[in-house]
Amino acid sequence: MYNITPTYLYIKQHSVTGLCYFGMTTKADPIAYYGSGKHWKSHIRKHGKESVETLAVERFIDKQECVCLANNRIS
């Protein structure tokens, strides 16, 4: 087991356009965090951050579990 700083994996969706974003953060509030992907941030600037919803959030303190779930989500 490899303990890490609490890390959150999340899925955000822009409710108007339907675009989804899968990301991770170590920030204390993953719901309030919008994400930092270049394409995603551009999309939010264009279409508005008030329509961003958090669909799922999971907290991890074990690196192996976090990596395993992330790999399963993107494959």
Short mmCIF file of all heavy atoms in Angstrom, two decimals:
data_model
loop_
_atom_site.label_atom_id
_atom_site.label_comp_id
_atom_site.label_asym_id
_atom_site.label_seq_id
_atom_site.Cartn_x
_atom_site.Cartn_y
_atom_site.Cartn_z
N MET A 1 0.85 -1.18 0.00
CA MET A 1 0.00 0.00 0.00
C MET A 1 0.89 1.24 0.00
O MET A 1 1.81 1.36 0.78
CB MET A 1 -0.89 -0.02 1.23
CG MET A 1 -1.86 1.11 1.28
SD MET A 1 -3.14 0.75 2.48
CE MET A 1 -3.26 2.30 3.27
N TYR A 2 0.63 2.16 -0.90
CA TYR A 2 1.38 3.40 -1.01
C TYR A 2 0.45 4.55 -0.68
O TYR A 2 -0.37 4.95 -1.50
CB TYR A 2 1.94 3.57 -2.42
CG TYR A 2 2.87 2.47 -2.83
CD1 TYR A 2 2.43 1.41 -3.60
CD2 TYR A 2 4.19 2.49 -2.41
CE1 TYR A 2 3.29 0.39 -3.96
CE2 TYR A 2 5.06 1.47 -2.77
CZ TYR A 2 4.60 0.43 -3.55
OH TYR A 2 5.46 -0.57 -3.90
N ASN A 3 0.57 5.08 0.53
CA ASN A 3 -0.28 6.19 0.93
C ASN A 3 0.15 7.46 0.20
O ASN A 3 1.34 7.73 0.04
CB ASN A 3 -0.22 6.42 2.43
CG ASN A 3 -0.97 5.35 3.19
OD1 ASN A 3 -1.86 4.72 2.65
ND2 ASN A 3 -0.61 5.14 4.43
N ILE A 4 -0.83 8.22 -0.22
CA ILE A 4 -0.61 9.47 -0.94
C ILE A 4 -1.46 10.56 -0.31
O ILE A 4 -2.35 10.29 0.49
CB ILE A 4 -0.95 9.34 -2.44
CG1 ILE A 4 -2.40 8.86 -2.63
CG2 ILE A 4 0.02 8.42 -3.14
CD1 ILE A 4 -2.88 8.83 -4.08
N THR A 5 -1.19 11.79 -0.68
CA THR A 5 -2.05 12.89 -0.30
C THR A 5 -3.45 12.56 -0.82
O THR A 5 -3.58 12.06 -1.94
CB THR A 5 -1.57 14.20 -0.97
OG1 THR A 5 -0.23 14.44 -0.55
CG2 THR A 5 -2.45 15.36 -0.62
N PRO A 6 -4.50 12.81 -0.03
CA PRO A 6 -5.84 12.50 -0.54
C PRO A 6 -6.04 13.05 -1.95
O PRO A 6 -5.83 14.23 -2.21
CB PRO A 6 -6.77 13.18 0.47
CG PRO A 6 -5.98 13.15 1.73
CD PRO A 6 -4.55 13.38 1.31
N THR A 7 -6.39 12.16 -2.85
CA THR A 7 -6.54 12.48 -4.27
C THR A 7 -7.94 12.12 -4.71
O THR A 7 -8.46 11.08 -4.35
CB THR A 7 -5.50 11.70 -5.10
OG1 THR A 7 -4.19 12.05 -4.63
CG2 THR A 7 -5.61 12.01 -6.57
N TYR A 8 -8.54 13.00 -5.49
CA TYR A 8 -9.90 12.78 -5.97
C TYR A 8 -9.89 12.57 -7.47
O TYR A 8 -9.27 13.35 -8.21
CB TYR A 8 -10.79 13.98 -5.64
CG TYR A 8 -10.92 14.24 -4.17
CD1 TYR A 8 -10.02 15.08 -3.51
CD2 TYR A 8 -11.93 13.67 -3.43
CE1 TYR A 8 -10.12 15.32 -2.16
CE2 TYR A 8 -12.05 13.90 -2.07
CZ TYR A 8 -11.14 14.73 -1.44
OH TYR A 8 -11.25 14.97 -0.10
N LEU A 9 -10.57 11.55 -7.92
CA LEU A 9 -10.87 11.38 -9.34
C LEU A 9 -12.31 11.83 -9.52
O LEU A 9 -13.17 11.53 -8.68
CB LEU A 9 -10.72 9.92 -9.77
CG LEU A 9 -9.31 9.33 -9.66
CD1 LEU A 9 -9.34 7.88 -10.14
CD2 LEU A 9 -8.31 10.13 -10.47
N TYR A 10 -12.58 12.54 -10.60
CA TYR A 10 -13.93 13.06 -10.78
C TYR A 10 -14.31 13.07 -12.26
O TYR A 10 -13.45 13.03 -13.14
CB TYR A 10 -14.04 14.48 -10.21
CG TYR A 10 -13.06 15.45 -10.82
CD1 TYR A 10 -13.37 16.10 -12.01
CD2 TYR A 10 -11.83 15.69 -10.25
CE1 TYR A 10 -12.47 16.97 -12.59
CE2 TYR A 10 -10.93 16.56 -10.81
CZ TYR A 10 -11.26 17.20 -11.99
OH TYR A 10 -10.35 18.05 -12.58
N ILE A 11 -15.60 13.13 -12.48
CA ILE A 11 -16.14 13.31 -13.83
C ILE A 11 -17.04 14.54 -13.79
O ILE A 11 -17.96 14.62 -12.96
CB ILE A 11 -16.94 12.08 -14.30
CG1 ILE A 11 -16.04 10.85 -14.33
CG2 ILE A 11 -17.55 12.35 -15.68
CD1 ILE A 11 -16.79 9.56 -14.61
N LYS A 12 -16.76 15.48 -14.65
CA LYS A 12 -17.56 16.70 -14.78
C LYS A 12 -18.26 16.66 -16.14
O LYS A 12 -17.77 16.04 -17.09
CB LYS A 12 -16.68 17.96 -14.74
CG LYS A 12 -15.81 18.10 -13.52
CD LYS A 12 -16.55 18.73 -12.39
CE LYS A 12 -15.62 18.97 -11.20
NZ LYS A 12 -16.30 19.68 -10.14
N GLN A 13 -19.40 17.32 -16.22
CA GLN A 13 -20.11 17.42 -17.50
C GLN A 13 -20.69 18.81 -17.65
O GLN A 13 -21.22 19.38 -16.68
CB GLN A 13 -21.23 16.40 -17.60
CG GLN A 13 -21.95 16.46 -18.94
CD GLN A 13 -23.02 15.39 -19.07
OE1 GLN A 13 -23.68 15.05 -18.11
NE2 GLN A 13 -23.17 14.87 -20.27
N HIS A 14 -20.57 19.35 -18.84
CA HIS A 14 -21.23 20.62 -19.14
C HIS A 14 -22.65 20.27 -19.56
O HIS A 14 -22.87 19.62 -20.58
CB HIS A 14 -20.49 21.37 -20.25
CG HIS A 14 -20.89 22.79 -20.33
ND1 HIS A 14 -22.02 23.19 -20.99
CD2 HIS A 14 -20.33 23.90 -19.79
CE1 HIS A 14 -22.13 24.50 -20.88
NE2 HIS A 14 -21.12 24.95 -20.14
N SER A 15 -23.62 20.68 -18.76
CA SER A 15 -25.00 20.24 -18.97
C SER A 15 -25.64 20.79 -20.25
O SER A 15 -26.58 20.19 -20.77
CB SER A 15 -25.87 20.61 -17.77
OG SER A 15 -25.90 22.01 -17.59
N VAL A 16 -25.14 21.89 -20.79
CA VAL A 16 -25.71 22.44 -22.01
C VAL A 16 -25.16 21.72 -23.24
O VAL A 16 -25.92 21.36 -24.15
CB VAL A 16 -25.42 23.96 -22.11
CG1 VAL A 16 -25.89 24.53 -23.44
CG2 VAL A 16 -26.08 24.69 -20.95
N THR A 17 -23.86 21.48 -23.27
CA THR A 17 -23.24 20.89 -24.46
C THR A 17 -23.07 19.38 -24.37
O THR A 17 -22.87 18.72 -25.37
CB THR A 17 -21.86 21.51 -24.72
OG1 THR A 17 -21.00 21.18 -23.61
CG2 THR A 17 -21.95 23.02 -24.87
N GLY A 18 -23.08 18.84 -23.14
CA GLY A 18 -22.91 17.40 -22.95
C GLY A 18 -21.46 16.95 -22.88
O GLY A 18 -21.19 15.77 -22.65
N LEU A 19 -20.51 17.87 -23.06
CA LEU A 19 -19.10 17.50 -23.00
C LEU A 19 -18.73 17.03 -21.60
O LEU A 19 -19.10 17.66 -20.61
CB LEU A 19 -18.20 18.68 -23.39
CG LEU A 19 -16.70 18.38 -23.44
CD1 LEU A 19 -16.38 17.43 -24.60
CD2 LEU A 19 -15.90 19.66 -23.58
N CYS A 20 -18.01 15.90 -21.52
CA CYS A 20 -17.56 15.36 -20.24
C CYS A 20 -16.06 15.51 -20.08
O CYS A 20 -15.33 15.58 -21.07
CB CYS A 20 -17.92 13.88 -20.13
SG CYS A 20 -19.66 13.57 -19.90
N TYR A 21 -15.63 15.56 -18.83
CA TYR A 21 -14.22 15.71 -18.50
C TYR A 21 -13.90 14.81 -17.32
O TYR A 21 -14.59 14.85 -16.30
CB TYR A 21 -13.94 17.18 -18.15
CG TYR A 21 -12.53 17.47 -17.72
CD1 TYR A 21 -11.49 17.49 -18.64
CD2 TYR A 21 -12.23 17.76 -16.39
CE1 TYR A 21 -10.18 17.77 -18.25
CE2 TYR A 21 -10.94 18.04 -15.99
CZ TYR A 21 -9.92 18.05 -16.93
OH TYR A 21 -8.64 18.32 -16.54
N PHE A 22 -12.86 14.00 -17.45
CA PHE A 22 -12.39 13.13 -16.38
C PHE A 22 -11.09 13.71 -15.87
O PHE A 22 -10.18 13.98 -16.65
CB PHE A 22 -12.17 11.71 -16.92
CG PHE A 22 -11.58 10.76 -15.91
CD1 PHE A 22 -12.32 10.33 -14.84
CD2 PHE A 22 -10.28 10.31 -16.05
CE1 PHE A 22 -11.79 9.46 -13.91
CE2 PHE A 22 -9.73 9.44 -15.14
CZ PHE A 22 -10.49 9.00 -14.05
N GLY A 23 -11.00 13.93 -14.56
CA GLY A 23 -9.80 14.54 -14.02
C GLY A 23 -9.47 14.08 -12.63
O GLY A 23 -10.17 13.25 -12.04
N MET A 24 -8.39 14.64 -12.11
CA MET A 24 -7.97 14.35 -10.74
C MET A 24 -7.47 15.63 -10.10
O MET A 24 -7.02 16.55 -10.78
CB MET A 24 -6.88 13.30 -10.71
CG MET A 24 -5.58 13.72 -11.35
SD MET A 24 -4.20 12.68 -10.89
CE MET A 24 -3.70 13.45 -9.38
N THR A 25 -7.61 15.69 -8.77
CA THR A 25 -7.12 16.84 -8.03
C THR A 25 -6.78 16.42 -6.61
O THR A 25 -7.32 15.43 -6.10
CB THR A 25 -8.16 17.98 -8.00
OG1 THR A 25 -7.57 19.13 -7.39
CG2 THR A 25 -9.42 17.59 -7.26
N THR A 26 -5.94 17.21 -5.98
CA THR A 26 -5.66 17.03 -4.56
C THR A 26 -6.24 18.20 -3.78
O THR A 26 -6.01 18.32 -2.57
CB THR A 26 -4.14 16.92 -4.29
OG1 THR A 26 -3.50 18.08 -4.82
CG2 THR A 26 -3.56 15.67 -4.92
N LYS A 27 -6.99 19.04 -4.43
CA LYS A 27 -7.63 20.17 -3.75
C LYS A 27 -8.67 19.63 -2.77
O LYS A 27 -9.25 18.57 -2.97
CB LYS A 27 -8.30 21.10 -4.75
CG LYS A 27 -7.30 21.68 -5.75
CD LYS A 27 -7.67 23.07 -6.11
CE LYS A 27 -6.71 23.64 -7.11
NZ LYS A 27 -5.65 24.42 -6.53
N ALA A 28 -8.91 20.38 -1.70
CA ALA A 28 -9.80 19.93 -0.63
C ALA A 28 -11.26 19.79 -1.08
O ALA A 28 -11.99 18.98 -0.53
CB ALA A 28 -9.71 20.88 0.56
N ASP A 29 -11.68 20.58 -2.06
CA ASP A 29 -13.08 20.54 -2.51
C ASP A 29 -13.15 20.24 -4.01
O ASP A 29 -13.17 21.15 -4.83
CB ASP A 29 -13.75 21.88 -2.21
CG ASP A 29 -15.25 21.86 -2.50
OD1 ASP A 29 -15.77 20.81 -2.94
OD2 ASP A 29 -15.90 22.89 -2.27
N PRO A 30 -13.23 18.96 -4.37
CA PRO A 30 -13.27 18.60 -5.78
C PRO A 30 -14.56 19.01 -6.49
O PRO A 30 -14.58 19.12 -7.71
CB PRO A 30 -13.11 17.08 -5.77
CG PRO A 30 -13.62 16.67 -4.44
CD PRO A 30 -13.28 17.78 -3.51
N ILE A 31 -15.60 19.27 -5.73
CA ILE A 31 -16.87 19.71 -6.33
C ILE A 31 -16.71 21.14 -6.86
O ILE A 31 -17.15 21.46 -7.96
CB ILE A 31 -18.03 19.64 -5.31
CG1 ILE A 31 -18.17 18.24 -4.74
CG2 ILE A 31 -19.33 20.13 -5.94
CD1 ILE A 31 -18.56 17.17 -5.72
N ALA A 32 -16.07 22.00 -6.08
CA ALA A 32 -15.89 23.40 -6.48
C ALA A 32 -14.79 23.56 -7.53
O ALA A 32 -14.76 24.57 -8.23
CB ALA A 32 -15.56 24.25 -5.26
N TYR A 33 -13.91 22.59 -7.64
CA TYR A 33 -12.81 22.65 -8.61
C TYR A 33 -13.36 22.31 -9.99
O TYR A 33 -14.03 21.31 -10.18
CB TYR A 33 -11.72 21.65 -8.19
CG TYR A 33 -10.52 21.62 -9.09
CD1 TYR A 33 -9.70 22.73 -9.21
CD2 TYR A 33 -10.20 20.49 -9.81
CE1 TYR A 33 -8.59 22.71 -10.03
CE2 TYR A 33 -9.08 20.45 -10.63
CZ TYR A 33 -8.29 21.57 -10.74
OH TYR A 33 -7.19 21.54 -11.54
N TYR A 34 -13.07 23.15 -10.98
CA TYR A 34 -13.62 22.95 -12.32
C TYR A 34 -12.78 22.07 -13.23
O TYR A 34 -13.28 21.55 -14.21
CB TYR A 34 -13.85 24.31 -13.00
CG TYR A 34 -15.02 25.06 -12.43
CD1 TYR A 34 -14.82 26.09 -11.52
CD2 TYR A 34 -16.32 24.70 -12.77
CE1 TYR A 34 -15.91 26.76 -10.98
CE2 TYR A 34 -17.40 25.37 -12.24
CZ TYR A 34 -17.19 26.40 -11.34
OH TYR A 34 -18.26 27.05 -10.81
N GLY A 35 -11.51 21.91 -12.93
CA GLY A 35 -10.63 21.13 -13.79
C GLY A 35 -9.63 22.03 -14.47
O GLY A 35 -9.80 23.25 -14.52
N SER A 36 -8.57 21.42 -15.03
CA SER A 36 -7.51 22.23 -15.59
C SER A 36 -7.09 21.83 -17.01
O SER A 36 -6.13 22.37 -17.53
CB SER A 36 -6.28 22.15 -14.68
OG SER A 36 -5.83 20.81 -14.60
N GLY A 37 -7.81 20.93 -17.62
CA GLY A 37 -7.47 20.54 -18.99
C GLY A 37 -7.61 21.70 -19.96
O GLY A 37 -8.55 22.50 -19.87
N LYS A 38 -6.68 21.81 -20.89
CA LYS A 38 -6.66 22.93 -21.84
C LYS A 38 -7.96 23.03 -22.64
O LYS A 38 -8.60 24.09 -22.71
CB LYS A 38 -5.46 22.76 -22.78
CG LYS A 38 -5.26 23.88 -23.74
CD LYS A 38 -4.01 23.63 -24.58
CE LYS A 38 -3.81 24.72 -25.58
NZ LYS A 38 -2.60 24.51 -26.39
N HIS A 39 -8.38 21.92 -23.23
CA HIS A 39 -9.62 21.91 -24.04
C HIS A 39 -10.84 22.17 -23.15
O HIS A 39 -11.75 22.93 -23.52
CB HIS A 39 -9.75 20.57 -24.76
CG HIS A 39 -10.97 20.45 -25.59
ND1 HIS A 39 -11.13 21.13 -26.78
CD2 HIS A 39 -12.11 19.74 -25.41
CE1 HIS A 39 -12.32 20.84 -27.29
NE2 HIS A 39 -12.93 20.00 -26.48
N TRP A 40 -10.85 21.56 -21.96
CA TRP A 40 -11.96 21.72 -21.03
C TRP A 40 -12.10 23.17 -20.57
O TRP A 40 -13.20 23.73 -20.56
CB TRP A 40 -11.78 20.78 -19.84
CG TRP A 40 -12.82 20.87 -18.79
CD1 TRP A 40 -12.66 21.31 -17.51
CD2 TRP A 40 -14.20 20.48 -18.88
NE1 TRP A 40 -13.84 21.24 -16.81
CE2 TRP A 40 -14.80 20.73 -17.63
CE3 TRP A 40 -14.98 19.96 -19.90
CZ2 TRP A 40 -16.14 20.47 -17.38
CZ3 TRP A 40 -16.33 19.69 -19.64
CH2 TRP A 40 -16.88 19.94 -18.40
N LYS A 41 -10.99 23.80 -20.19
CA LYS A 41 -11.04 25.19 -19.74
C LYS A 41 -11.51 26.12 -20.85
O LYS A 41 -12.28 27.04 -20.61
CB LYS A 41 -9.67 25.62 -19.21
CG LYS A 41 -9.38 25.04 -17.84
CD LYS A 41 -7.97 25.28 -17.37
CE LYS A 41 -7.61 26.71 -17.23
NZ LYS A 41 -6.28 26.93 -16.66
N SER A 42 -11.07 25.86 -22.07
CA SER A 42 -11.52 26.65 -23.21
C SER A 42 -13.02 26.50 -23.42
O SER A 42 -13.73 27.47 -23.69
CB SER A 42 -10.75 26.23 -24.46
OG SER A 42 -11.25 26.86 -25.60
N HIS A 43 -13.49 25.28 -23.29
CA HIS A 43 -14.92 24.99 -23.45
C HIS A 43 -15.74 25.73 -22.38
O HIS A 43 -16.78 26.32 -22.70
CB HIS A 43 -15.14 23.47 -23.33
CG HIS A 43 -16.51 23.04 -23.70
ND1 HIS A 43 -16.91 22.85 -25.00
CD2 HIS A 43 -17.59 22.76 -22.93
CE1 HIS A 43 -18.18 22.48 -25.03
NE2 HIS A 43 -18.61 22.41 -23.77
N ILE A 44 -15.26 25.72 -21.14
CA ILE A 44 -15.96 26.41 -20.06
C ILE A 44 -15.99 27.92 -20.30
O ILE A 44 -17.01 28.57 -20.08
CB ILE A 44 -15.30 26.08 -18.70
CG1 ILE A 44 -15.59 24.64 -18.32
CG2 ILE A 44 -15.81 27.02 -17.61
CD1 ILE A 44 -14.83 24.18 -17.09
N ARG A 45 -14.87 28.48 -20.75
CA ARG A 45 -14.85 29.93 -21.05
C ARG A 45 -15.88 30.28 -22.12
O ARG A 45 -16.55 31.30 -22.04
CB ARG A 45 -13.46 30.36 -21.49
CG ARG A 45 -12.50 30.62 -20.35
CD ARG A 45 -11.23 31.33 -20.81
NE ARG A 45 -10.43 30.55 -21.74
CZ ARG A 45 -9.54 29.63 -21.39
NH1 ARG A 45 -9.32 29.36 -20.12
NH2 ARG A 45 -8.86 28.97 -22.31
N LYS A 46 -16.01 29.41 -23.11
CA LYS A 46 -16.93 29.67 -24.23
C LYS A 46 -18.39 29.46 -23.83
O LYS A 46 -19.26 30.24 -24.23
CB LYS A 46 -16.57 28.76 -25.40
CG LYS A 46 -17.43 29.00 -26.62
CD LYS A 46 -16.98 28.14 -27.79
CE LYS A 46 -17.84 28.39 -29.00
NZ LYS A 46 -17.42 27.56 -30.14
N HIS A 47 -18.67 28.41 -23.06
CA HIS A 47 -20.06 28.03 -22.79
C HIS A 47 -20.55 28.31 -21.38
O HIS A 47 -21.73 28.11 -21.09
CB HIS A 47 -20.25 26.54 -23.11
CG HIS A 47 -19.99 26.21 -24.53
ND1 HIS A 47 -20.87 26.50 -25.55
CD2 HIS A 47 -18.91 25.64 -25.14
CE1 HIS A 47 -20.36 26.11 -26.71
NE2 HIS A 47 -19.18 25.59 -26.49
N GLY A 48 -19.68 28.73 -20.48
CA GLY A 48 -20.08 29.12 -19.12
C GLY A 48 -19.87 28.04 -18.07
O GLY A 48 -20.23 26.89 -18.28
N LYS A 49 -19.28 28.45 -16.96
CA LYS A 49 -19.01 27.49 -15.89
C LYS A 49 -20.23 27.22 -15.01
O LYS A 49 -20.26 26.24 -14.28
CB LYS A 49 -17.82 27.94 -15.04
CG LYS A 49 -18.04 29.19 -14.24
CD LYS A 49 -16.77 29.53 -13.47
CE LYS A 49 -16.96 30.81 -12.67
NZ LYS A 49 -15.75 31.16 -11.95
N GLU A 50 -21.26 28.04 -15.12
CA GLU A 50 -22.47 27.82 -14.32
C GLU A 50 -23.20 26.54 -14.73
O GLU A 50 -24.04 26.03 -13.99
CB GLU A 50 -23.42 29.02 -14.38
CG GLU A 50 -23.95 29.35 -15.75
CD GLU A 50 -22.98 30.14 -16.63
OE1 GLU A 50 -21.98 30.67 -16.12
OE2 GLU A 50 -23.25 30.20 -17.83
N SER A 51 -22.90 25.99 -15.88
CA SER A 51 -23.55 24.76 -16.35
C SER A 51 -22.70 23.51 -16.15
O SER A 51 -23.01 22.46 -16.69
CB SER A 51 -23.91 24.91 -17.83
OG SER A 51 -24.80 25.98 -18.02
N VAL A 52 -21.61 23.62 -15.37
CA VAL A 52 -20.75 22.46 -15.11
C VAL A 52 -21.30 21.70 -13.91
O VAL A 52 -21.56 22.28 -12.85
CB VAL A 52 -19.29 22.90 -14.85
CG1 VAL A 52 -18.44 21.71 -14.43
CG2 VAL A 52 -18.71 23.55 -16.09
N GLU A 53 -21.51 20.41 -14.09
CA GLU A 53 -22.01 19.54 -13.03
C GLU A 53 -20.97 18.48 -12.72
O GLU A 53 -20.26 18.01 -13.61
CB GLU A 53 -23.30 18.84 -13.46
CG GLU A 53 -24.43 19.79 -13.80
CD GLU A 53 -25.63 19.05 -14.36
OE1 GLU A 53 -25.52 17.84 -14.67
OE2 GLU A 53 -26.68 19.69 -14.49
N THR A 54 -20.90 18.08 -11.46
CA THR A 54 -20.03 16.98 -11.06
C THR A 54 -20.86 15.72 -11.05
O THR A 54 -21.84 15.61 -10.31
CB THR A 54 -19.43 17.25 -9.67
OG1 THR A 54 -18.74 18.50 -9.70
CG2 THR A 54 -18.48 16.14 -9.27
N LEU A 55 -20.51 14.76 -11.90
CA LEU A 55 -21.27 13.52 -12.01
C LEU A 55 -20.79 12.46 -11.02
O LEU A 55 -21.58 11.65 -10.55
CB LEU A 55 -21.18 12.96 -13.43
CG LEU A 55 -21.67 13.87 -14.55
CD1 LEU A 55 -21.51 13.17 -15.89
CD2 LEU A 55 -23.11 14.28 -14.32
N ALA A 56 -19.49 12.45 -10.74
CA ALA A 56 -18.93 11.43 -9.84
C ALA A 56 -17.64 11.95 -9.22
O ALA A 56 -16.89 12.68 -9.86
CB ALA A 56 -18.66 10.15 -10.60
N VAL A 57 -17.41 11.57 -7.97
CA VAL A 57 -16.17 11.89 -7.26
C VAL A 57 -15.81 10.70 -6.40
O VAL A 57 -16.67 10.11 -5.75
CB VAL A 57 -16.34 13.11 -6.33
CG1 VAL A 57 -15.06 13.34 -5.52
CG2 VAL A 57 -16.70 14.36 -7.09
N GLU A 58 -14.54 10.35 -6.42
CA GLU A 58 -14.06 9.28 -5.54
C GLU A 58 -12.74 9.72 -4.93
O GLU A 58 -11.87 10.24 -5.61
CB GLU A 58 -13.90 7.98 -6.30
CG GLU A 58 -13.67 6.83 -5.37
CD GLU A 58 -14.35 5.55 -5.80
OE1 GLU A 58 -15.11 5.56 -6.78
OE2 GLU A 58 -14.10 4.53 -5.15
N ARG A 59 -12.60 9.49 -3.62
CA ARG A 59 -11.41 9.90 -2.86
C ARG A 59 -10.49 8.69 -2.68
O ARG A 59 -10.96 7.59 -2.37
CB ARG A 59 -11.82 10.44 -1.50
CG ARG A 59 -10.69 10.90 -0.63
CD ARG A 59 -11.26 11.42 0.70
NE ARG A 59 -10.23 11.93 1.54
CZ ARG A 59 -9.64 11.24 2.51
NH1 ARG A 59 -9.99 9.99 2.74
NH2 ARG A 59 -8.70 11.80 3.25
N PHE A 60 -9.19 8.94 -2.83
CA PHE A 60 -8.20 7.88 -2.67
C PHE A 60 -7.06 8.34 -1.78
O PHE A 60 -6.66 9.51 -1.83
CB PHE A 60 -7.60 7.48 -4.03
CG PHE A 60 -8.59 6.87 -4.96
CD1 PHE A 60 -9.31 7.67 -5.83
CD2 PHE A 60 -8.81 5.51 -4.95
CE1 PHE A 60 -10.25 7.12 -6.68
CE2 PHE A 60 -9.75 4.94 -5.81
CZ PHE A 60 -10.46 5.74 -6.67
N ILE A 61 -6.54 7.41 -0.96
CA ILE A 61 -5.31 7.66 -0.23
C ILE A 61 -4.29 6.57 -0.56
O ILE A 61 -3.18 6.60 -0.08
CB ILE A 61 -5.54 7.74 1.30
CG1 ILE A 61 -6.22 6.49 1.83
CG2 ILE A 61 -6.32 9.00 1.65
CD1 ILE A 61 -6.27 6.40 3.34
N ASP A 62 -4.70 5.62 -1.38
CA ASP A 62 -3.81 4.55 -1.82
C ASP A 62 -3.55 4.74 -3.32
O ASP A 62 -4.47 4.71 -4.13
CB ASP A 62 -4.46 3.19 -1.55
CG ASP A 62 -3.57 2.05 -1.98
OD1 ASP A 62 -3.66 1.65 -3.16
OD2 ASP A 62 -2.81 1.55 -1.15
N LYS A 63 -2.29 4.93 -3.67
CA LYS A 63 -1.92 5.21 -5.06
C LYS A 63 -2.33 4.09 -6.00
O LYS A 63 -2.84 4.33 -7.09
CB LYS A 63 -0.42 5.45 -5.16
CG LYS A 63 0.03 5.81 -6.56
CD LYS A 63 1.51 6.10 -6.62
CE LYS A 63 1.91 6.44 -8.03
NZ LYS A 63 3.33 6.76 -8.12
N GLN A 64 -2.13 2.85 -5.59
CA GLN A 64 -2.45 1.72 -6.46
C GLN A 64 -3.94 1.66 -6.79
O GLN A 64 -4.32 1.42 -7.93
CB GLN A 64 -2.00 0.43 -5.77
CG GLN A 64 -1.77 -0.72 -6.69
CD GLN A 64 -1.07 -1.86 -5.97
OE1 GLN A 64 -1.05 -1.95 -4.75
NE2 GLN A 64 -0.48 -2.75 -6.73
N GLU A 65 -4.79 1.89 -5.80
CA GLU A 65 -6.24 1.90 -6.04
C GLU A 65 -6.64 3.04 -6.98
O GLU A 65 -7.47 2.86 -7.87
CB GLU A 65 -7.00 2.04 -4.72
CG GLU A 65 -6.95 0.82 -3.85
CD GLU A 65 -7.72 1.02 -2.55
OE1 GLU A 65 -8.48 2.02 -2.43
OE2 GLU A 65 -7.58 0.18 -1.66
N CYS A 66 -6.03 4.20 -6.79
CA CYS A 66 -6.33 5.36 -7.62
C CYS A 66 -5.96 5.09 -9.08
O CYS A 66 -6.75 5.32 -9.99
CB CYS A 66 -5.58 6.57 -7.09
SG CYS A 66 -5.92 8.11 -7.96
N VAL A 67 -4.76 4.59 -9.30
CA VAL A 67 -4.29 4.30 -10.66
C VAL A 67 -5.15 3.22 -11.31
O VAL A 67 -5.52 3.32 -12.48
CB VAL A 67 -2.80 3.89 -10.64
CG1 VAL A 67 -2.36 3.36 -11.99
CG2 VAL A 67 -1.94 5.07 -10.22
N CYS A 68 -5.51 2.22 -10.54
CA CYS A 68 -6.34 1.13 -11.06
C CYS A 68 -7.70 1.65 -11.55
O CYS A 68 -8.13 1.34 -12.65
CB CYS A 68 -6.50 0.05 -10.01
SG CYS A 68 -7.43 -1.39 -10.57
N LEU A 69 -8.36 2.47 -10.72
CA LEU A 69 -9.66 2.99 -11.11
C LEU A 69 -9.52 3.93 -12.31
O LEU A 69 -10.31 3.87 -13.25
CB LEU A 69 -10.35 3.73 -9.96
CG LEU A 69 -11.73 4.26 -10.35
CD1 LEU A 69 -12.72 3.12 -10.43
CD2 LEU A 69 -12.20 5.32 -9.40
N ALA A 70 -8.51 4.78 -12.30
CA ALA A 70 -8.30 5.71 -13.43
C ALA A 70 -8.10 4.94 -14.72
O ALA A 70 -8.68 5.28 -15.75
CB ALA A 70 -7.11 6.62 -13.15
N ASN A 71 -7.30 3.89 -14.68
CA ASN A 71 -7.07 3.09 -15.88
C ASN A 71 -8.35 2.42 -16.37
O ASN A 71 -8.58 2.31 -17.57
CB ASN A 71 -5.99 2.04 -15.64
CG ASN A 71 -4.60 2.64 -15.60
OD1 ASN A 71 -4.35 3.69 -16.19
ND2 ASN A 71 -3.70 2.00 -14.89
N ASN A 72 -9.19 1.98 -15.46
CA ASN A 72 -10.45 1.34 -15.83
C ASN A 72 -11.44 2.34 -16.43
O ASN A 72 -12.21 2.00 -17.31
CB ASN A 72 -11.09 0.64 -14.63
CG ASN A 72 -10.36 -0.61 -14.25
OD1 ASN A 72 -9.70 -1.25 -15.09
ND2 ASN A 72 -10.44 -0.99 -13.00
N ARG A 73 -11.42 3.58 -15.95
CA ARG A 73 -12.33 4.61 -16.46
C ARG A 73 -11.98 5.06 -17.87
O ARG A 73 -12.85 5.40 -18.65
CB ARG A 73 -12.33 5.85 -15.55
CG ARG A 73 -12.91 5.64 -14.21
CD ARG A 73 -14.37 5.83 -14.24
NE ARG A 73 -14.87 5.68 -12.88
CZ ARG A 73 -16.11 5.85 -12.54
NH1 ARG A 73 -16.98 6.18 -13.44
NH2 ARG A 73 -16.48 5.68 -11.31
N ILE A 74 -10.70 5.09 -18.18
CA ILE A 74 -10.31 5.63 -19.48
C ILE A 74 -10.13 4.55 -20.54
O ILE A 74 -9.94 4.85 -21.70
CB ILE A 74 -9.04 6.49 -19.39
CG1 ILE A 74 -7.86 5.71 -18.85
CG2 ILE A 74 -9.30 7.74 -18.60
CD1 ILE A 74 -6.57 6.48 -18.83
N SER A 75 -10.21 3.30 -20.17
CA SER A 75 -10.05 2.24 -21.18
C SER A 75 -11.37 1.76 -21.70
O SER A 75 -12.41 2.10 -21.31
CB SER A 75 -9.27 1.07 -20.61
OG SER A 75 -9.89 0.53 -19.49
#
